[in-house]
Amino acid sequence: MARTLINDTANVTFKRKSDGHVIFTAEAQLASISQQVSEEKLKGGIGNRTIALLRSDKEVTLQVRNALFDFEWLSMTQGVAVEKGKEATVWKREDSLPVVDNGGTLEVTIKGKPLNDEIKLVNPKGESIDADVLEKVAEVPTSFAKKGEKISVSYQEKIVGNVLTMDAQKFSEAYEVEYATIEYDPDTYQVVADLYIQFDHVIPSGSFDMSLENGSALAPELSFEAMTSGTSTEIGRFIEQERSADTP
């Protein structure tokens, strides 16, 4: 078809080859492909002119950056599946809890369920002490805080959630990857075609950086090495489908 304009990133679909598990993103900020080929000039003759160009070692690297954090993305770097509904122990913190006088005894009330009914109190001076909780109420020593002051409480609590294990003996698995984007007519700016880019065998890099910075959205980025599979020499393919009235 005629020349078109591509002005968008791509939706990306990952399919884990070991079990067919599919990970899909519609919030990609970047979906790039980089190809490198080793080239060596063959010289000869009078003047040592270039006779031929020897080419080999085609390498294709994919880079995908997502706008939103996705637990499944992180699982690709670890080579393990996300375990849903698993029990874990975590630290909880409650801040600005008022100290109240209950018949001459200073108390603070919490919302959570501390493990073994044990908590740690932190007063406005930054001092901390251990305390026990009975029915979500803990006694506060008069030497530690005064009535009306607000203190913090930290404790361990059992929760149920999604767990992703970082295992030193497991590494990222092989995936099939497909990019899907759209092509525009440069004159009318109507969508005229869908472009699919497929890779049959890619390995996510096990290296990643995760920085949690105040005021900055976490945009996870992963890189992949595309390879051939089995005896095939194909690394991937571009597929262009023209739009019609029946195209969904």
Side-chain angles (χ1 to χ4, degrees), residues 154-190:
S154 61
Y155 51 86
Q156 287 187 298
E157 183 178 70
K158 283 192 176 294
I159 65 168
V160 175
N162 301 328
V163 176
L164 178 63
T165 303
M166 300 176 72
D167 193 324
Q169 295 184 342
K170 293 184 179 180
F171 300 89
S172 50
E173 296 185 17
Y175 285 80
E176 296 175 8
V177 176
E178 180 179 279
Y179 290 179
T181 191
I182 54 179
E183 301 177 34
Y184 298 90
D185 185 313
D187 296 322
T188 65
Y189 222 73
Q190 289 182 312

Side-chain angles (χ1 to χ4, degrees), residues 6-24:
I6 296 178
N7 191 45
D8 302 281
T9 185
N11 292 332
V12 187
T13 303
F14 305 91
K15 181 180 179 181
R16 192 161 56 217
K17 301 188 74 169
S18 63
D19 59 4
H21 179 66
V22 174
I23 300 172
F24 175 80

Side-chain angles (χ1 to χ4, degrees), residues 182 191-194 196 241-248:
I182 54 179
V191 178
V192 294
D194 294 284
Y196 302 92
Q241 179 190 28
E242 293 189 37
R243 285 284 183 107
S244 66
D246 298 328
T247 302

Side-chain angles (χ1 to χ4, degrees), residues 27-238:
E27 304 87 16
Q29 291 181 333
L30 171 72
S32 70
I33 305 168
S34 175
Q35 177 177 297
Q36 292 184 338
V37 175
S38 295
E39 297 181 339
E40 182 179 352
K41 295 178 181 179
L42 180 62
K43 302 283 188 176
I46 297 175
N48 197 31
R49 65 187 185 275
T50 301
I51 300 174
L53 187 64
L54 307 179
R55 292 177 291 182
S56 63
D57 192 19
K58 180 179 288 187
E59 294 183 355
V60 177
T61 303
L62 313 183
Q63 200 82 16
V64 180
R65 183 173 67 238
N66 208 29
L68 302 178
F69 174 73
D70 189 335
F71 218 45
E72 293 281 7
W73 271 54
L74 201 56
S75 74
M76 287 193 285
T77 68
Q78 301 303 314
V80 297
V82 177
E83 298 178 84
K84 298 182 179 180
K86 189 174 181 180
E87 190 176 81
T89 301
V90 300
W91 281 96
K92 295 280 189 174
R93 175 170 171 158
E94 298 183 30
D95 294 315
S96 300
L97 301 181
V99 177
V100 299
D101 189 337
N102 184 12
T105 302
L106 297 182
E107 295 177 342
V108 65
T109 302
I110 66 172
K111 296 179 180 179
K113 298 178 180 180
L115 189 66
N116 300 323
D117 293 325
E118 297 175 350
I119 64 174
K120 189 174 290 291
L121 307 177
V122 182
N123 66 15
K125 297 179 181 179
E127 300 169 334
S128 64
I129 60 172
D130 295 325
D132 295 325
V133 173
L134 180 60
E135 296 181 352
K136 297 191 176 184
V137 176
E139 184 176 339
V140 179
T142 55
S143 60
F144 182 74
K146 299 178 181 179
K147 175 185 175 181
E149 286 188 328
K150 293 185 178 181
I151 64 176
S152 298
V153 175
S154 61
Y155 51 86
Q156 287 187 298
E157 183 178 70
K158 283 192 176 294
I159 65 168
V160 175
N162 301 328
V163 176
L164 178 63
T165 303
M166 300 176 72
D167 193 324
Q169 295 184 342
K170 293 184 179 180
F171 300 89
S172 50
E173 296 185 17
Y175 285 80
E176 296 175 8
V177 176
E178 180 179 279
Y179 290 179
T181 191
I182 54 179
E183 301 177 34
Y184 298 90
D185 185 313
D187 296 322
T188 65
Y189 222 73
Q190 289 182 312
V191 178
V192 294
D194 294 284
L195 178 64
Y196 302 92
I197 309 171
Q198 297 177 338
F199 299 92
D200 300 323
H201 193 79
V202 304
I203 303 292
S205 172
S207 302
F208 74 98
D209 295 315
M210 185 174 177
S211 299
L212 306 178
E213 182 179 355
N214 189 31
S216 298
L218 177 64
E221 185 169 335
L222 298 179
S223 61
F224 304 81
E225 291 294 330
M227 295 169 283
T228 60
S229 180
T231 58
S232 173
T233 60
E234 287 189 16
I235 298 175
R237 65 198 61 84
F238 292 84

